[in-house]
């Protein structure tokens, strides 16, 4: 008997990503969180098809959605890169043990260069935490953060970062205008409202959106909102981990000036 006929079916990742449009959607979402309208533009297909395949990707656990804090009628979609890595590992293992994925070696700190700007509305939590987390893992990258309506640093942001051995107590909030005219390799917006008002920066930086809720809105007291700050720190750590390899390949600001 042909043993191939008795083997399990194709791995789940192949079913989910094997269709061309779904693959195009995954690639677009691997770069940035997007709304349906953004994805329609990115893949050049009608809304009915994009929405259909997004539902398939969501039901398969590769993509999640979150209502926009800027316009509740919109939803931002995000690719779960951890889940993709897990399913890809299962796919290789299912074909042959020798094809099991080996976790990538984190890039050496000295190999990462460039300039990164994190933006949110208040520059009081998300963008400050992202700046601090990336700076610890990529000390040779120039990193800044700012907000469209700066507010004092939230005490929970300081407390959560302190648990990770990072001191934010001396940081202060900054307005986006302080960085107008400067060149960056990546401009990463962390809230939906600031994405709508993000100014243009010279040199055509890579614009990335991470749609993340404001942790300070999760409770009426610092005690009530603290768990949301801890979740925000965890999500930022994960997203930054996937950003790091890009910082070894990015076109540096100095190159863009030439």
């Amino acid at each position: 008997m042909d043993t191939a006929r008795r083997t399990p079916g194709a791995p789940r990742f192949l079913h989910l990503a094997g269709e061309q449009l779904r693959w195009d959607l995954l690639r677009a979402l691997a770069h940035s969180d997007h709304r349906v309208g953004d994805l329609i533009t990115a893949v050049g297909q009608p809304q009915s098809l994009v929405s259909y395949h997004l539902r398939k990707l969501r039901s398969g656990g590769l993509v999640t959605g979150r209502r926009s804090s800027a316009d509740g009628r919109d939803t931002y979609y995000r690719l779960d890169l951890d889940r993709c890595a897990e399913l890809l590992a299962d796919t290789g293992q299912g074909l042959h043990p020798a094809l099991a994925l080996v976790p990538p070696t984190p890039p050496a700190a000295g190999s990462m260069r460039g300039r990164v700007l994190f933006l949110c509305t208040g520059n009081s939590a998300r963008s400050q935490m992202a700046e601090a987390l990336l700076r610890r893992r990529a000390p040779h990258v120039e990193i800044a953060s700012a907000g469209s309506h700066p507010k004092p640093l939230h005490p929970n942001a300081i407390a959560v970062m302190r648990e990770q051995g990072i001191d934010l107590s001396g940081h202060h909030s900054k307005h986006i205008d302080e960085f107008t005219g400067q060149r960056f390799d990546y401009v990463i917006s962390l809230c939906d409202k600031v994405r709508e008002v993000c100014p243009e920066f010279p040199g055509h930086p890579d614009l990335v959106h991470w749609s993340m809720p404001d942790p300070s809105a999760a409770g009426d007291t610092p005690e009530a909102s603290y768990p949301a700050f801890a979740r925000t720190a965890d999500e930022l750590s994960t997203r930054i981990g996937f950003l790091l390899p890009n910082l070894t390949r990015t076109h540096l600001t100095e190159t863009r000036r030439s």
Side-chain angles (χ1 to χ4, degrees), residues 9 13 39 88 101 132 144 158 197 245:
F13 185 83
L39 291 169
L88 279 169
L101 292 182
I158 297 173
V197 298

Side-chain angles (χ1 to χ4, degrees), residues 127 135 182 221:
S127 55
R135 178 170 289 114
Q182 295 190 30
T221 65

Side-chain angles (χ1 to χ4, degrees), residues 154-156 214-229 231:
H154 197 287
N156 277 344
D214 181 359
S216 66
D220 296 330
T221 65
E223 292 76 16
S225 64
Y226 187 85
F229 278 82
R231 290 192 297 271

Side-chain angles (χ1 to χ4, degrees), residues 49-193:
L49 275 178
V50 170
S51 296
Y52 170 79
H53 288 290
L54 270 179
R55 286 195 297 271
K56 291 290 187 180
L57 294 172
R58 291 185 73 181
S59 66
L62 293 186
V63 171
T64 60
R66 191 184 73 80
R67 286 289 180 185
S68 168
S69 59
D71 185 343
R73 295 170 296 180
D74 278 333
T75 296
Y76 275 99
Y77 293 95
R78 172 198 173 193
L79 179 62
D80 189 335
L81 286 166
D82 280 336
R83 179 63 174 155
C84 286
E86 178 185 326
L87 290 179
L88 279 169
D90 290 343
T91 300
Q93 183 75 26
L95 185 60
H96 192 283
L99 297 179
L101 292 182
V102 178
T105 301
S111 69
M112 293 178 280
R113 292 287 194 278
R115 301 192 77 213
V116 177
L117 176 64
F118 290 106
L119 300 175
C120 68
T121 300
N123 191 218
S124 61
R126 289 163 289 184
S127 55
Q128 293 271 5
M129 295 161 69
E131 176 187 354
L133 288 166
L134 180 57
R135 178 170 289 114
R136 181 171 63 180
R137 299 172 72 174
H140 296 283
V141 175
E142 294 183 53
I143 308 156
S145 66
S148 57
H149 296 81
K151 298 186 298 185
L153 203 61
H154 197 287
N156 277 344
I158 297 173
V160 166
M161 288 293 95
R162 184 181 296 121
E163 285 191 356
Q164 302 203 22
I166 298 175
D167 183 10
L168 290 186
S169 59
H171 287 220
H172 67 280
S173 299
K174 301 170 291 297
H175 196 281
I176 293 174
D177 289 349
E178 291 189 29
F179 300 96
T180 300
Q182 295 190 30
R183 292 173 178 260
F184 293 92
D185 296 291
Y186 285 88
V187 175
I188 302 176
S189 53
L190 302 173
C191 75
D192 306 329
K193 292 179 181 178

